[in-house]
Amino acid sequence: MASHDIELESIAHPIARTGYTTTPGDHTPQHDDFQPEEGVQEFSLPPVDGGKDAWLFLAACFAVEALVWGFPFAFGVFQDYYSNNEPFAGSPNIAVIGTCSMGVMYLAAPLMMGLCRMMGRWARWTSLFGLFTMCLSLAMSSFSTTVPHLIATQGIIYAIGGGIAYCPCILYMDEWFVQRKGLAYGIMWSGTGLAGVVLPLLLEALLHSFGFRTTLRIWSGILFALTMPLAFFIKPRLPYSATSHRKPFNLNMFLVPTFWLYQLANVVEAMGFFLPGIYLPTYARSALGAASYSSATTVLLVNVASVFGCVAMGWFIDRFHVTTCILLSTVGATVGALVIWGLSSSLPLLYFFCIMYGLFAGSYTSTWPGVMSDVVRKGEATGSGYIDPSMVFGWLAAGRGIGNVISGPLSENLIQGLPWKGDTAAYGYGSGYGSLIVFTVELSQGSGGA
């Protein structure tokens, strides 16, 4: 498996003064028969795929994932508050705040990964700097009086800090997990789904009780208290001397045609993935007459289901080829949107679609470890040279960001004037959101077809 090859690449440069040796097929130092020479210091590396250090690293990454990405995914709560309360009520471009906080983190991922790799032995401490920047940006945003202030602080500065804080999680994941790499990534990425359930409810209650200024200050303090201790567990497994040969801003993946096929599928999937989460509450209210709480439950169900979907897909990606896993995600999301959402005539049926969509579409990013491994393996096979898997991740994240940015304007045009309303017998397709449903279906199919 390609992930096995990545680990070998990581430890294929033993340093004589450390006193450990490695052989092909081994992931940990050999101690049973190895006798260090006199005067040579010996130490052992922590085990991969398990052990206290590996699980503490993964737990810290899960928490950072939830707290860094969960806040932008919960921006809808702030958008509703800003749109209906002073001093921002009636202001244009409120939605740009959320677009910046999420989009900048996605689009800047290659740059952040390259800079983090350039930091060398100091890269592990970038998490602390990034988390502090996030907390500072939220505290600054509590003093905002205009929407541009919020775009700069809660949007752009938060995203820069979040991207910096998140990089070491990806950079060191390949060192701590090899055979269970997909499962580890799936567990980490499920943090966003869990945060997508908890944070909207918490932030809604805080906004209702204290207003946005106090809420942002409270959340900044909570974020600081929770994440700063965790950052000390986000550390490399290998000594810097074993990874110093990895060059920053490695772009060799661009020489591999397979990478471009995966990236095309990734962008297409992202263009459709975010749409149900944006429009499901509105659809439930306008088409099915659901109350406010019942309509908000649609997004909560998608997020809950994505927690289980990410972990399950991570388990699958360790055992099956990446194209098989992508096909599974694609078929599940397509059938859910085409049949269940398109033919939904009641709230329970729509809830069933939310669960199915979260399980399959929400787990798509958990196929990325398989994509990274496949691109690295094929790059080596075609003589493209060493490919840094963390940079492959960075460009996949950027592709997802492109799809996210494009989907917003496209979706607004698709539902403008509620086309198809009353023109078809099927309730979902004839609700005015039929073109949006078909668009989601086509993009889900396209991601698998690509």
Side-chain angles (χ1 to χ4, degrees), residues 244-258:
S244 59
H245 65 285
R246 297 179 178 179
K247 304 301 181 183
F249 299 104
N250 183 309
L251 301 179
N252 287 343
M253 78 287 295
F254 291 162
L255 303 176
V256 183
T258 302

Side-chain angles (χ1 to χ4, degrees), residues 71 78 135 138-139 142 202-203 205-207 209-226:
F71 187 77
F78 280 95
C135 296
L138 294 176
S142 70
L202 173 62
L203 295 173
L206 290 174
L207 286 169
S209 301
F210 303 109
F212 86 96
R213 299 190 191 279
T214 303
T215 295
L216 287 169
R217 291 164 192 168
I218 291 174
W219 181 245
S220 177
I222 292 174
L223 189 64
F224 183 87
L226 291 178

Side-chain angles (χ1 to χ4, degrees), residues 302-376:
V302 171
N303 290 330
V304 169
S306 70
V307 172
F308 298 98
C310 283
V311 176
M313 186 60 75
W315 186 87
F316 280 122
I317 205 70
D318 286 332
R319 289 160 175 79
F320 302 102
H321 194 271
V322 59
T323 54
T324 303
C325 296
I326 290 176
L327 182 63
L328 176 63
S329 174
T330 298
V331 170
T334 301
V335 171
L338 179 67
V339 179
I340 303 174
W341 189 13
L343 302 178
S344 63
S345 57
S346 64
L347 202 57
L349 195 59
L350 184 64
Y351 286 164
F352 179 59
F353 162 73
C354 294
I355 294 172
M356 191 169 181
Y357 193 79
L359 282 172
F360 290 96
S363 65
Y364 185 87
T365 53
S366 289
T367 66
W368 285 4
V371 173
M372 294 153 63
S373 297
D374 197 35
V375 170
V376 169

Side-chain angles (χ1 to χ4, degrees), residues 81-364:
Y81 181 89
Y82 292 151
S83 300
N84 295 286
N85 294 274
E86 296 296 336
F88 310 112
S91 301
N93 299 323
I94 290 177
V96 176
I97 305 169
T99 301
C100 286
S101 62
M102 188 181 300
V104 169
M105 274 202 287
Y106 275 130
L107 293 172
L111 175 63
M112 296 298 181
M113 289 294 170
L115 290 175
C116 199
R117 182 70 77 188
M118 187 181 294
M119 294 290 290
R121 67 177 74 253
W122 301 103
R124 68 163 296 189
W125 303 112
T126 59
S127 282
L128 288 172
F129 176 75
L131 292 169
F132 178 78
T133 303
M134 289 167 53
C135 296
L136 181 63
S137 72
L138 294 176
M140 291 168 57
S141 66
S142 70
F143 295 97
S144 298
T145 56
T146 66
V147 171
H149 292 165
L150 289 173
I151 292 174
T153 54
Q154 192 175 345
I156 296 174
I157 299 177
Y158 177 91
I160 293 173
I164 295 172
Y166 186 62
C167 277
C169 298
I170 304 300
L171 212 61
Y172 302 139
M173 186 67 76
D174 287 345
E175 298 182 14
W176 285 104
F177 292 90
V178 180
Q179 301 300 330
R180 296 179 177 176
K181 185 182 301 181
L183 179 62
Y185 272 109
I187 292 173
M188 180 179 72
W189 285 330
S190 70
T192 301
L194 183 62
V197 176
V198 176
L199 288 189
L201 300 176
L202 173 62
L203 295 173
E204 179 73 37
L206 290 174
L207 286 169
H208 179 74
S209 301
F210 303 109
F212 86 96
R213 299 190 191 279
T214 303
T215 295
L216 287 169
R217 291 164 192 168
I218 291 174
W219 181 245
S220 177
I222 292 174
L223 189 64
F224 183 87
L226 291 178
T227 56
M228 287 300 171
L230 292 170
F232 289 96
F233 295 103
I234 302 175
K235 58 186 179 180
R237 171 179 168 267
L238 301 174
Y240 172 69
S241 55
T243 59
S244 59
H245 65 285
R246 297 179 178 179
K247 304 301 181 183
F249 299 104
N250 183 309
L251 301 179
N252 287 343
M253 78 287 295
F254 291 162
L255 303 176
V256 183
T258 302
F259 168 78
W260 293 107
L261 292 176
Y262 285 131
Q263 183 70 299
L264 176 61
N266 180 51
V267 173
V268 169
E269 193 274 343
M271 288 172 61
F273 170 73
F274 296 96
L275 300 183
I278 297 172
Y279 291 102
L280 276 172
T282 307
Y283 173 83
R285 282 196 303 268
S286 61
L288 303 178
S292 178
Y293 177 79
S294 300
S295 60
T297 302
T298 56
V299 177
L300 296 181
L301 287 174
V302 171
N303 290 330
V304 169
S306 70
V307 172
F308 298 98
C310 283
V311 176
M313 186 60 75
W315 186 87
F316 280 122
I317 205 70
D318 286 332
R319 289 160 175 79
F320 302 102
H321 194 271
V322 59
T323 54
T324 303
C325 296
I326 290 176
L327 182 63
L328 176 63
S329 174
T330 298
V331 170
T334 301
V335 171
L338 179 67
V339 179
I340 303 174
W341 189 13
L343 302 178
S344 63
S345 57
S346 64
L347 202 57
L349 195 59
L350 184 64
Y351 286 164
F352 179 59
F353 162 73
C354 294
I355 294 172
M356 191 169 181
Y357 193 79
L359 282 172
F360 290 96
S363 65
Y364 185 87

Side-chain angles (χ1 to χ4, degrees), residues 47-62 176-177 180 183-184 187 233:
V48 295
D49 293 318
K52 181 191 69 175
D53 292 321
W55 293 120
L56 284 174
F57 170 81
L58 184 57
C61 290
F62 172 87
W176 285 104
F177 292 90
R180 296 179 177 176
L183 179 62
I187 292 173
F233 295 103

